[in-house]
Amino acid sequence: MPINHTILLVDDDPALRGMLGFSLESEGYHVLEAESRSQAIAQMQLQAVQVVMLDMGMPPNEHTPEEGLAVLKWLSDHQSLVNVIVLTGQNADSTSYLALKHGAFDFLEKPISEARLLQSVKRAFLFYDQASKLKQQEGLQKVQIDV
């Protein structure tokens, strides 16, 4: 696995971040953590991240997707190649729709199995790596498929 595979876990639940982080580090990924929108943005401004696992419901609006959507908007404006895997434990249908509409790569509903987590992360890094190659070789900025 290439060294540049860094993932940022953004969730206000430290126990969940710890569990996910352990699983990902065991697979060789470099893991950063943030518990809020502001911490997530600060982390991404300091260090290159290729994949973000993002909880949509975080304080101060933990019962709405507002904070997660704000992170997605920031990424779209500043780091559009980053792939976002959305995590949520609330209203999966409407949250997944909003997340995908705002640029998320994948969506996982809590509780998450380790197998599904790793499968989603591997796909996100594969797509990131290929999009980066396209950008370098052909000047393409964003790969988007509308079905």
Side-chain angles (χ1 to χ4, degrees):
M1 169 183 325
I3 287 185
N4 69 339
H5 280 185
T6 301
I7 188 164
L8 174 63
L9 297 177
V10 185
D11 197 299
D12 58 319
D13 181 346
L16 181 63
R17 281 196 324 267
M19 181 191 74
L20 296 176
F22 179 78
S23 294
L24 294 166
E25 287 172 344
S26 297
E27 292 294 314
Y29 296 105
H30 179 240
V31 178
L32 303 172
E33 295 184 16
E35 65 180 11
S36 66
R37 169 180 31 161
S38 60
Q39 280 186 10
I41 291 169
Q43 285 273 23
M44 291 182 286
Q45 289 173 325
L46 292 173
Q47 185 163 353
V49 171
Q50 295 76 42
V51 173
V52 172
M53 295 201 76
L54 176 64
D55 180 22
M56 294 297 280
M58 294 179 289
N61 302 300
E62 51 268 271
H63 301 295
T64 73
E66 187 177 321
E67 292 299 302
L69 290 173
V71 173
L72 284 168
K73 168 113 177 67
W74 185 90
L75 280 163
S76 175
D77 292 345
H78 297 92
Q79 297 183 18
S80 61
L81 283 181
V82 172
N83 283 327
V84 179
I85 301 167
V86 167
L87 308 173
T88 194
Q90 44 184 293
N91 199 341
D93 284 343
S94 65
T95 303
S96 62
Y97 173 81
L98 282 172
L100 293 172
K101 179 179 174 183
H102 289 86
F105 173 79
D106 200 356
F107 179 86
L108 298 174
E109 194 172 356
K110 296 176 185 176
I112 308 153
S113 75
E114 185 172 359
R116 253 184 79 81
L117 168 77
L118 295 175
Q119 179 185 31
S120 181
V121 167
K122 285 177 185 172
R123 285 183 55 240
F125 277 112
L126 174 67
F127 273 74
Y128 178 89
D129 292 342
Q130 296 307 320
S132 295
K133 271 189 210 171
L134 282 171
K135 181 180 176 186
Q136 289 174 349
Q137 294 172 358
E138 301 174 23
L140 188 62
Q141 290 292 320
K142 180 82 172 173
V143 176
Q144 183 171 344
I145 300 171
D146 292 325
V147 180

